[in-house]
Amino acid sequence: MTDWHRSDLTVGDIRLATYSYGDAAESDRPAIVLVHGWPDTHHLWDNMAPQLAEHYRVFAYDTRGFGESTRPDDVASYRLDALAQDLFAVIDSVTDGGSAHVVAHDWGSVQTWEAVTTPGASTAIASFTSVSGPNLDFLAEWARAQLSSPTPGNIGRALSQVASSAYTGFFQIPGVSDAFFRALGSDKLWTEFLHAIEGTPRENVSFAPTLREDMISGLKLYRANIRGKLARPNPRPTSVPVLEVVNDRDIALRPAIYGRTYTHADKLWRKSSTTGHWLPYTNPAYLAATAIEFIDAIENGTSSAPNTIDRARQLGAPLPLTGKLAVITGAGSGIGRETAYALAALGCEVVLADIDTASADETATECKAKGVLTNVYELDVSKTSAVTEFAETVRARHGVPDIVVNNAGIGLGGSALDATEEQIDRLIDINLRGVISGSRAFAKQMVARGAGGHIVNLASAAAFTPSRELGLYSASKAGVLMFSESLRAELADHRIGVSAICPGIVNTNITAATEYAGVDDQEAMARKVSGFYEKRNYTPDKVAREIVRAVVSNKAVVPVTPEAKFGYRVYRFIPWVSRIAARAKLTG
């Protein structure tokens, strides 16, 4: 791209081609240095640089062995300690002895890890955003921990990473791997490869004209470092603020390998998404926004970007959903409250919405006690315009959510013939239209972001259990179930999961607020039904656990409670039994 301006830097016998983007002379802005990996050059950042340049002075360079920089012939010249000194020299040059924030990918991240664990690194490196590149010493330590405690889970995680890294063994064979890339290392073939493995767009992907040479000389990175680091790891601490961007669909690096980073990084944040290894190519806007968010937080103490990075703060061992942003409607009580507790306990920042903000505030108190950021909003999900406005508020103040739980709902019992039009409208507006509105508003944001996500919609066992006294309620929940199944199919290509949760008889306060069409003594009926639910005593925290499992495992339909699981199978395989049972009068 023409907006890169080159100026060379000499480090010993190595000439490094360094680049500034646009007008990088504005000294009042923080500096950011971008470090590429194999087999890329500074062109990896072509699609991110314009967005970053709106906030910082942007610099990049071709690391030794790549692009227009010197290509040493000997393998030893590619050791990580030498590469780390190159980075320090670039930072010193572009900042006149100051400090810079570093965003690095793949081997660029590996060598930056070497730099930030070098004593005194914090004087030169203000922060480090690590993308798809581990600290090799930490990786070796993690691998030894798995093998020293050979449980099925540990062995499985270790074998998964070995399988993902199998290509590195091939890269260790000089004659064979060099010849392979000499024959196949063309722009066209590499573009098709990236497109095939993770959907990297064929257009707007920039490679240097030296791609084939870069592929071959860059193999020395693997030969100079992997065997030595794995055989003799030397994990060192760092006080540099670090954000680990973890890609759940990384073909080379499994998320589990980052599990011990917190033991060495004093200031560690983490953000994960259902993205692949070459994130700077596949979703540069998302990665740029993530880096801006983090760097702003470090520069200002608080983030001026919408998606508050403090939610990804890692104070201990990584939790399953650390760094995720979750939105829960109907969070003031029952299943919504317990789901908020469960997600907060797993490291999610939670945004709580309820028509009763006083009850939502009570939920928020417990969530905050778990050490996560928590915010409360008043929301009436029956009003589509309010849901749309709420979604935009969440995006502007907190960012695009990773998890949305459309939980708000009401009950309506009694005869469908006796129900009033007002009761029917309210039921459908809240139970069905509210779910549709919330799903649509947030799904649009997730699709635009391009980093996946998960939507949970609360249906009910009533969706597949017909009853003469729950016909209208069942219809609203059956609509939620079928909408969720259909939306799941629609969003699959965007790696956005959709789960329909179908609880049976759960002891929540929905029974106390349920209206019963055609019943004169509403209070007596409410006491009777509530008493039955209390005796059943299936608590909402158990449903919350199933919701979390659905998110983690991307389950489609989740019947909860024994009667729901039984009813689901009966309706699927012997529906005539359900139809006969539906005639029974339950509340007479």
Side-chain angles (χ1 to χ4, degrees):
M1 294 178 64
T2 57
D3 285 334
W4 288 112
H5 307 289
R6 178 178 171 180
S7 61
D8 290 353
L9 170 68
T10 300
V11 182
D13 297 332
I14 304 296
R15 185 193 74 255
L16 297 175
T18 63
Y19 300 85
S20 60
Y21 185 86
D23 185 8
E26 298 181 38
S27 59
D28 60 328
R29 291 187 174 189
I32 181 171
V33 174
L34 309 174
V35 191
H36 68 84
W38 181 93
D40 303 301
T41 65
H42 73 281
H43 288 297
L44 173 72
W45 311 106
D46 282 356
N47 296 318
M48 283 179 57
Q51 191 171 342
L52 295 172
E54 294 176 5
H55 301 263
Y56 317 112
R57 294 180 294 133
V58 178
F59 302 93
Y61 67 105
D62 294 342
T63 64
R64 62 171 67 192
F66 294 86
E68 299 302 319
S69 293
T70 302
R71 301 175 190 277
D73 292 328
D74 61 309
V75 171
S77 293
Y78 293 81
R79 287 173 52 94
L80 288 178
D81 52 356
L83 295 165
Q85 293 307 312
D86 288 350
L87 175 58
F88 286 127
V90 171
I91 293 173
D92 183 71
S93 173
V94 301
T95 64
D96 293 326
S99 63
H101 300 274
V102 178
V103 178
H105 175 257
D106 190 73
W107 273 98
S109 179
V110 174
Q111 60 190 271
T112 304
W113 269 116
E114 182 75 14
V116 299
T117 55
T118 299
S122 58
T123 61
I125 301 177
S127 76
F128 169 34
T129 300
S130 169
V131 187
S132 297
N135 180 299
L136 292 186
D137 295 300
F138 301 171
L139 173 59
E141 182 184 56
W142 172 83
R144 293 184 176 204
Q146 307 309 300
L147 297 176
S148 66
S149 179
T151 64
N154 287 345
I155 292 174
R157 284 185 285 271
L159 290 176
S160 176
Q161 183 54 51
V162 168
S164 297
S165 301
Y167 68 94
T168 63
F170 173 67
F171 286 5
Q172 300 286 336
I173 309 172
V176 178
S177 55
D178 290 6
F180 176 82
F181 286 109
R182 188 171 290 110
L184 299 178
S186 70
D187 289 15
K188 183 177 176 62
L189 288 174
W190 188 240
T191 298
E192 290 302 319
F193 172 75
L194 295 183
H195 179 75
I197 61 169
E198 60 181 59
T200 297
R202 295 185 178 92
E203 63 282 356
N204 298 324
V205 177
S206 303
F207 302 120
T210 55
L211 177 62
R212 180 179 282 104
E213 292 81 0
D214 297 336
M215 286 179 165
I216 296 169
S217 61
L219 295 174
K220 296 183 176 69
L221 290 170
Y222 296 86
R223 299 164 192 166
N225 297 292
I226 290 181
R227 283 176 293 179
K229 286 287 187 180
L230 294 181
R232 297 177 298 278
N234 179 30
R236 297 165 296 172
T238 180
S239 60
V240 173
V242 177
L243 169 63
E244 279 187 325
V245 178
V246 179
N247 299 306
D248 294 341
R249 296 177 62 251
D250 195 317
I251 62 167
L253 302 164
R254 308 312 304 151
I257 69 172
Y258 302 102
R260 295 183 61 84
T261 309
Y262 78 97
T263 62
H264 302 292
D266 294 339
K267 303 171 184 176
L268 179 66
W269 287 257
R270 193 175 188 190
K271 192 168 186 179
S272 61
S273 61
T274 56
T275 44
H277 185 81
W278 268 276
L279 189 56
Y281 283 144
T282 55
N283 203 331
Y286 169 72
L287 180 55
T290 297
I292 291 167
E293 171 193 356
F294 178 57
I295 294 169
D296 280 356
I298 300 304
E299 282 287 320
N300 306 323
T302 58
S303 177
S304 61
N307 194 9
T308 309
I309 197 67
D310 282 348
R311 72 183 177 89
R313 185 181 297 276
Q314 183 58 62
L315 300 177
L319 298 171
L321 298 176
T322 292
K324 302 289 188 182
L325 173 63
V327 174
I328 305 105
T329 67
S333 62
I335 294 171
R337 171 174 285 182
E338 293 298 334
T339 301
Y341 292 165
L343 292 173
L346 295 176
C348 286
E349 176 189 355
V350 290
V351 173
L352 312 178
D354 202 291
I355 197 168
D356 180 359
T357 54
S359 63
D361 284 334
E362 294 176 6
T363 305
T365 299
E366 181 65 24
C367 291
K368 291 175 182 177
K370 299 179 185 299
V372 301
L373 290 178
T374 305
N375 289 275
V376 173
Y377 293 89
E378 182 178 359
L379 177 64
D380 181 352
V381 299
S382 70
K383 295 177 169 53
T384 300
S385 59
V387 174
T388 302
E389 182 180 352
F390 168 66
E392 282 304 306
T393 299
V394 171
R395 184 193 60 77
R397 295 181 181 177
H398 310 287
V400 177
D402 304 290
I403 301 166
V404 173
V405 182
N406 291 303
N407 165 74
I410 62 171
L412 178 63
S415 167
L417 305 184
D418 290 334
T420 66
E421 296 302 322
E422 289 77 12
Q423 287 177 321
I424 296 172
D425 288 344
R426 183 166 179 263
L427 178 75
I428 298 301
D429 285 346
I430 293 174
N431 284 12
L432 181 55
R433 188 57 190 263
V435 168
I436 293 174
S437 299
S439 298
R440 278 166 40 85
F442 286 111
K444 289 176 182 178
Q445 294 180 7
M446 292 177 179
V447 169
R449 180 181 64 172
H454 203 96
I455 296 171
V456 175
N457 293 329
L458 265 292
S460 168
F464 44 75
T465 309
S467 166
R468 63 182 289 167
E469 296 180 351
L470 288 173
L472 294 170
Y473 179 76
S474 295
S476 71
K477 291 301 185 178
V480 170
L481 175 58
M482 187 51 65
F483 170 72
S484 300
E485 291 258 49
S486 301
L487 187 64
R488 179 181 177 89
E490 180 180 348
L491 298 179
D493 290 344
H494 301 283
R495 300 188 301 280
I496 299 170
V498 180
S499 298
I501 309 299
C502 302
I505 300 171
V506 179
N507 186 19
T508 71
N509 64 357
I510 191 173
T511 56
T514 295
E515 295 181 0
Y516 300 90
V519 175
D520 294 330
D521 193 340
Q522 293 284 324
E523 292 185 3
M525 182 61 73
R527 285 195 301 271
K528 182 177 181 180
V529 175
S530 295
F532 172 72
Y533 275 60
E534 288 172 2
K535 289 178 182 178
R536 172 70 173 81
N537 198 31
Y538 194 99
T539 52
D541 59 300
K542 296 177 181 178
V543 183
R545 288 198 291 270
E546 291 299 323
I547 289 173
V548 170
R549 291 192 186 101
V551 171
V552 173
S553 303
N554 191 19
K555 294 182 178 179
V557 179
V558 184
V560 184
T561 73
E563 66 274 10
K565 296 175 182 178
F566 176 75
Y568 186 54
R569 285 158 178 78
V570 168
Y571 191 71
R572 289 180 65 191
F573 300 113
I574 44 175
W576 60 270
V577 173
S578 294
R579 297 183 188 116
I580 294 174
R583 301 173 187 175
K585 193 171 183 180
L586 304 177
T587 58

